[in-house]
Amino acid sequence: MGLGTVGGGVALALTDHANSIQRKTGFSVNLRHVLVRDSEKTRDPAPPEGVLTTNPEDILADPHVQIVVETMGGDHPAGEYLQRALDAGKHVVTANKEVMSRRGPDLMALAQKKQVNLLFEASAGGGIPIVGCLMSQLLANDIRSIRSIINGTTNYILTQMAWHQASFADALAEAQTRGYAEADPTNDIEGIDAAYKLSVLGSLAFHRRIPHHAIHTEGISQLGPEDFRYASELGYAIKSLAIAVVQSNGLVQARVHPALVPENHLLAKVDGVYNAVEVTGDLCGQIILHGQGAGREATTSAVMGDILSIVRTMGSANVPPPLPALDVNGDDTDSAVCPIDELSSAYYIRLTCADQAGVLAQVAQILGDGNISIATVIQKDTDPGSGTAQLVITTYPAREADVQFALAAVARLGVVVGVNNLIRIEE
Ligand SMILES: NC(=O)c1ccc[n+]([C@@H]2O[C@H](COP(=O)([O-])OP(=O)(O)OC[C@H]3O[C@@H](n4cnc5c(N)ncnc54)[C@H](OP(=O)(O)O)[C@@H]3O)[C@@H](O)[C@H]2O)c1
């Protein structure tokens, strides 16, 4: 279902790799139907003769179809098609993060009931085999945290801003020209795409539902080139991170936002459209997977891996299908996820202030009253024209709610022109 960037790659691999598929699995895999919206469209490469259809029933009602591969995208109608395919006893492979984030647990429960596979490696991390790792190789671990860069578009934009002192608007335009950002980039730059993927990974890692709407999500559009300069002076890179951490009270802190990352940390060195996922487990310790999070070939690798792992089990009556690692009976509440207010983090704060004596003392007083200890202060970029200066403050770990409350008071000071940015520091 779907013959675009990903589906086109999968269709090509099924034909081009037919011999090696036979050799590796002992079976041949035949591409029987391909669902598209527009069967008249010119496609490169051209699909095999006679497979195109615009009628989903050709696939869902065909008893000869054993595996349905969904690469259409979006929740509707893809979600309904997948449900019907599972209901009909067909194995399902999907690349769809939105469907897996919104309906994953229900679809997994249905797959278990029907004793068929539902695999979704490409739905998070593209070509990086993180989903399979969480579902099988790391299953014995109590996973403590996931820290990841799982949106290549934002990582490309942030890399351009860091390397070339580009503005956000210029870096976004460059990403669009190169085909890394869509005409409507909202889902990427506002962190929505990363939240879907974190929901999938977090649910697998912690064996409970991490609904995407419970994930605190911030975009990157408020970052300016000066933030990258100041961060670098302080020894940090700025990355958009998707983080899920189990707290000592058992709740999960799940969030997507820009963060200052120490320059010597591996995640700080993940540049351009690349993705990386760091997993920390009680047995495996810290693992980092790095690779291409999108693109035809890398994503095809993930989808084909799922298809072949299903094919390998199909001939053997004694091998049960690999079942998902998620507690599919958990309820769909937000109770497993704690609010951002309870986060304890160090912060980077950038203010534009009147360039006069005593400003820092007033700001420090408010922060101190809010139990927020200052770690460093740098005053930069004085503008004699407007009589303002930039004040950059980093704090020791403090409670998010206290920091937000104090910053609202700082913003009301007569000597403060604006609170430009608040970025969490991820040590
Ligand atoms: N692109 C990537 O690098 C990447 C990486 C990881 C995961 N994914 C995921 O893979 C999925 C597909 O992405 P993509 O980039 O390949 O998308 P795409 O290039 O836009 O292709 C979508 C395909 O699905 C077909 N389609 C869409 N809606 C349909 C409908 N209602 N009925 C019938 N056919 C329909 C389209 O048909 P027409 O050709 O006739 O328009 C097209 O062939 C998404 O879930 C995406 O998140 C993509």
Side-chain angles (χ1 to χ4, degrees):
M1 296 182 152
L3 193 65
T5 306
V6 180
V10 173
L12 190 62
L14 285 172
T15 328
D16 278 6
H17 295 209
N19 288 341
S20 79
I21 291 171
Q22 168 89 50
R23 208 172 52 245
K24 288 173 185 166
T25 67
F27 294 93
S28 60
V29 180
N30 303 312
L31 182 60
R32 199 165 167 91
H33 310 284
V34 180
L35 180 71
V36 291
R37 267 179 304 217
D38 176 4
S39 57
E40 303 302 315
K41 202 191 239 180
T42 310
R43 296 175 194 272
D44 183 23
E49 193 73 15
V51 297
L52 283 194
T53 176
T54 54
N55 182 3
E57 298 307 319
D58 285 348
I59 295 170
L60 297 170
D62 181 345
H64 298 292
V65 169
Q66 293 168 292
I67 307 176
V68 173
V69 181
E70 186 271 314
T71 61
M72 292 163 49
D75 185 38
H76 173 78
E80 289 82 24
Y81 292 169
L82 294 192
Q83 188 178 339
R84 286 200 44 207
L86 293 169
D87 238 342
K90 300 178 190 308
H91 301 285
V92 163
V93 173
T94 178
N96 194 326
K97 66 208 144 219
E98 193 174 344
V99 159
M100 288 313 298
S101 167
R102 290 177 185 276
R103 310 180 191 223
D106 298 331
L107 292 174
M108 285 177 186
L110 181 57
Q112 280 192 1
K113 189 171 146 214
K114 294 285 176 179
Q115 283 294 292
V116 290
N117 276 288
L118 167 62
L119 297 183
F120 46 95
E121 183 59 68
S123 66
I128 301 175
I130 179 63
V131 171
C133 272
L134 292 172
M135 280 172 76
S136 55
Q137 282 83 1
L138 297 179
L139 196 52
N141 283 264
D142 278 343
I143 303 292
R144 293 177 174 153
S145 68
I146 295 174
R147 287 189 170 75
S148 60
I149 294 173
I150 42 177
N151 183 277
T153 306
T154 49
N155 203 48
Y156 178 82
I157 292 170
L158 297 184
T159 304
Q160 289 296 108
M161 292 178 78
W163 287 1
H164 306 297
Q165 283 292 298
S167 68
F168 169 75
D170 287 348
L172 171 60
E174 166 88 15
Q176 285 171 321
T177 307
R178 288 175 172 265
Y180 297 148
E182 293 177 22
D184 177 0
T186 312
N187 269 7
D188 290 324
I189 63 173
E190 295 303 335
I192 300 163
D193 173 88
Y196 283 138
K197 293 169 179 168
L198 185 64
S199 156
V200 172
L201 296 180
S203 300
L204 286 176
F206 306 123
H207 305 277
R208 60 185 108 162
R209 297 185 187 212
I210 310 290
H212 70 95
H213 54 80
I215 296 174
H216 177 84
T217 304
E218 291 174 21
I220 59 167
S221 56
Q222 78 285 8
L223 295 169
E226 54 275 67
D227 291 313
F228 290 83
R229 251 188 299 132
Y230 302 147
S232 172
E233 273 183 43
L234 292 162
Y236 296 97
I238 301 179
K239 295 290 174 190
S240 177
L241 298 187
I243 301 170
V245 182
V246 183
Q247 310 276 92
S248 50
N249 61 6
L251 296 180
V252 175
Q253 180 68 249
R255 47 201 165 93
V256 174
H257 56 70
L260 264 63
V261 182
E263 267 167 358
N264 59 3
H265 192 281
L266 281 173
L267 286 177
K269 303 179 201 304
V270 177
D271 290 320
V273 290
Y274 273 79
N275 283 199
V277 183
E278 176 205 279
V279 179
T280 306
D282 63 336
L283 301 174
C284 66
Q286 200 176 69
I287 289 176
I288 295 197
L289 299 178
H290 174 265
Q292 295 177 53
R296 172 170 277 194
E297 282 77 19
T299 314
T300 294
S301 161
V303 174
M304 287 299 295
D306 283 350
I307 296 172
L308 296 202
S309 78
I310 291 173
V311 171
R312 271 158 48 98
T313 63
M314 281 172 98
S316 168
N318 297 325
V319 182
L323 292 177
L326 178 64
D327 171 13
V328 292
N329 298 316
D331 62 6
D332 190 16
T333 64
D334 299 354
S335 58
V337 181
C338 62
I340 191 78
D341 276 359
E342 290 171 21
L343 176 70
S344 173
S345 172
Y347 294 85
Y348 158 107
I349 300 164
R350 176 162 66 87
L351 309 170
T352 302
C353 305
D355 187 16
Q356 64 187 55
V359 173
L360 178 60
Q362 293 183 53
V363 174
Q365 179 73 49
I366 291 177
L367 295 180
D369 289 348
N371 287 322
I372 301 152
S373 302
I374 293 176
T376 62
V377 178
I378 44 180
Q379 185 178 332
K380 285 281 179 185
D381 290 355
T382 307
D383 178 358
S386 62
T388 60
Q390 300 265 302
L391 197 58
V392 173
I393 297 171
T394 63
T395 74
Y396 287 107
R399 210 170 138 254
E400 172 94 14
D402 293 339
V403 172
Q404 296 287 359
F405 186 79
L407 274 192
V410 166
R412 288 193 294 272
L413 285 174
V415 291
V416 170
V417 178
V419 176
N420 306 105
N421 235 326
L422 172 72
I423 309 176
R424 297 171 192 90
I425 301 176
E426 206 54 41
E427 291 292 1

